[in-house]
Amino acid sequence: MKTIDELLAESVAGRRVFVRADLNVPLDGTTITDDGRIRAVLPTVKALAEAGARVVVASHLGRPKGTPDPVFSLAPAAARLGELLGAEVAFATDTVGESAQSVVAGLADGQVAVIENLRFNAGETSKDDAERAAFADRLAALADVYVGDGFGAVHRKHASVYDLPAKLPHYAGYLIANEVTVLKKLTEDVKRPYVVALGGAKVSDKLAVIDQLLGKADRLLIGGGMAYTFLKAQGHEVGISLLQEDQIPAVTEYMERAEKNGVELVLPVDVLISTEFPDLKTKAPANPTTVAADAIPADQEGLDIGPQTRKLYASKLADAGTVFWNGPMGVFEHPDYAEGTRAVAQALVDTPGFTVVGGGDSAAAVRILGFDENAFGHISTGGGASLEYLEGKTLPGLAALED
């Protein structure tokens, strides 16, 4: 695929460059609680603006139902982008209507605009090819060139990700080019031992990537809510912990295959439990109890890995040549259940190997828990996209950037 460096080698001054970014930031009302995804697209936007392009930034935010919803407005993201750029960023209150057309037409060389949430138009996410294409045509009318830089959306067959690049000269931005380079390090010529730490709520979200990793990784560390399905598959009581009983046969087969393939599959040896889920708004003390992973009472819920598991996982990460981590080890948003996730993050910092934080909640946790982002080899901006890449799937947004 062509990269933005090739575009910048041409003359972009005065040309309208459509940048498909990922500004899908978490919001508390209109307050952005983590601006990592906005900062991630800054190099691309800044380079284009400094080269004199008229930059039109577009993104989705949340899951609106194909119609405008002020709760999901990109206005806060546009304002934050302007602060980070140190320049005014114009904001269009629609996607392809009068406001977008007027704002884009009013751009001078080197100026930046953000158009409203792409998912306010049903054509963005439609499964109907003609409806998506029609929306892509209207987006194409706003630009002369397309730059894909929203890695968090490249696994979606959406109009701005998949259909639009075919209608304009297209290039990969710095973020996407970097993400692809990093992910190739996890699939080609991997430095060993290759250790993968997987957490998060649902084991069903990770089955496909586990299936692939059983032939590639040396060790799999399992935590988070998904661990309880593994523990149940071993015959242990998991109480009222998150459990996907329908996935037990698949999990059992994977554990058997891991042993056959010589892949070390490591499960929690102790967990933090409580009779109720913690209050994430007030952060009121939860006073959890620590028990062995095979001794969870029937009326209790596992909410984080315990201190012995933290030490175990740190030891399994210490000599890694390559680490991929996706998914928190517990309810890290509450201080009483954050130590498992903190321990895994710290182990990545401490290992001399190449470390990748696989986006999503893992990337958010790194920032929320106060880690220096530069202490990791790479922090991905796309949890779902990075997992699907490791699964070996063709990602529509990357395929669309190929020539």
Side-chain angles (χ1 to χ4, degrees), residues 224-225 228 241 271-278 286 288 301-305 329-332 336-338:
Y228 302 101
S241 305
V271 295
L272 270 60
I273 60 171
S274 177
T275 55
E276 58 185 8
F277 198 83
E301 177 178 12
L303 295 164
D304 193 15
I305 58 173
M329 296 292 109
V331 187
F332 73 92
D336 286 351
Y337 301 104

Side-chain angles (χ1 to χ4, degrees), residues 290-316:
T290 301
V291 298
D294 60 358
I296 301 173
D299 64 342
Q300 301 274 328
E301 177 178 12
L303 295 164
D304 193 15
I305 58 173
Q308 294 305 312
T309 305
R310 293 173 216 154
K311 292 178 183 178
L312 173 64
Y313 285 11
S315 71
K316 297 296 183 181

Side-chain angles (χ1 to χ4, degrees), residues 16-213:
R16 300 169 302 163
V17 181
F18 187 102
V19 177
R20 200 337 179 157
D22 179 8
L23 308 181
N24 186 27
V25 292
L27 294 170
D28 182 1
T30 59
T31 302
I32 297 170
T33 57
D34 180 2
D35 67 357
R37 284 178 170 167
I38 301 175
R39 288 185 285 111
V41 79
L42 270 181
T44 291
V45 174
K46 188 176 291 187
L48 289 167
E50 289 176 351
R54 302 179 182 191
V55 187
V56 182
V57 181
S59 176
H60 68 287
L61 193 152
R63 296 180 182 272
K65 308 286 186 185
T67 56
D69 183 339
V71 171
F72 298 109
S73 175
L74 277 174
R80 181 57 179 153
L81 178 61
E83 291 173 358
L84 293 169
L85 286 171
E88 184 178 350
V89 169
F91 181 66
T93 57
D94 57 27
T95 55
V96 291
E98 291 183 7
S99 179
Q101 294 170 31
S102 174
V103 165
V104 173
L107 287 175
D109 293 1
Q111 290 188 328
V112 179
V114 173
I115 62 175
E116 187 54 284
N117 192 335
L118 291 163
R119 291 184 183 175
F120 284 1
N121 189 302
E124 169 67 2
T125 60
S126 176
K127 296 192 185 315
D128 182 271
D129 292 348
E131 186 177 9
R132 277 200 329 274
F135 182 50
D137 282 335
R138 298 184 70 186
L139 290 171
L142 299 174
D144 305 304
V145 181
Y146 178 93
V147 172
D149 215 29
F151 181 74
V154 293
H155 59 315
R156 307 295 187 191
K157 193 176 182 180
H158 291 170
S160 65
V161 175
Y162 178 74
D163 301 270
L164 182 56
K167 301 177 184 297
L168 295 169
H170 46 270
Y171 302 81
Y174 290 125
L175 173 60
I176 278 187
N178 187 42
E179 292 272 13
V180 171
T181 297
V182 167
L183 287 170
K184 284 182 177 179
K185 291 184 180 181
L186 300 178
T187 55
E188 304 170 9
D189 299 321
V190 180
K191 291 185 178 180
R192 297 187 179 279
Y194 180 17
V195 185
V196 178
L198 296 176
K202 295 181 178 180
V203 68
S204 57
D205 293 341
K206 306 291 197 306
L207 284 179
V209 76
I210 292 173
D211 182 57
Q212 286 291 316
L213 291 169

Side-chain angles (χ1 to χ4, degrees), residues 198 202-214 226 229-230 244 246-254 257 387 391:
L198 296 176
K202 295 181 178 180
V203 68
S204 57
D205 293 341
K206 306 291 197 306
L207 284 179
V209 76
I210 292 173
D211 182 57
Q212 286 291 316
L213 291 169
L214 286 175
M226 63 183 288
T229 301
F230 280 85
Q244 290 185 285
D246 61 323
Q247 302 299 331
I248 288 177
V251 164
T252 300
E253 191 269 326
Y254 285 172
R257 187 142 59 95
L387 283 176
E391 289 168 21

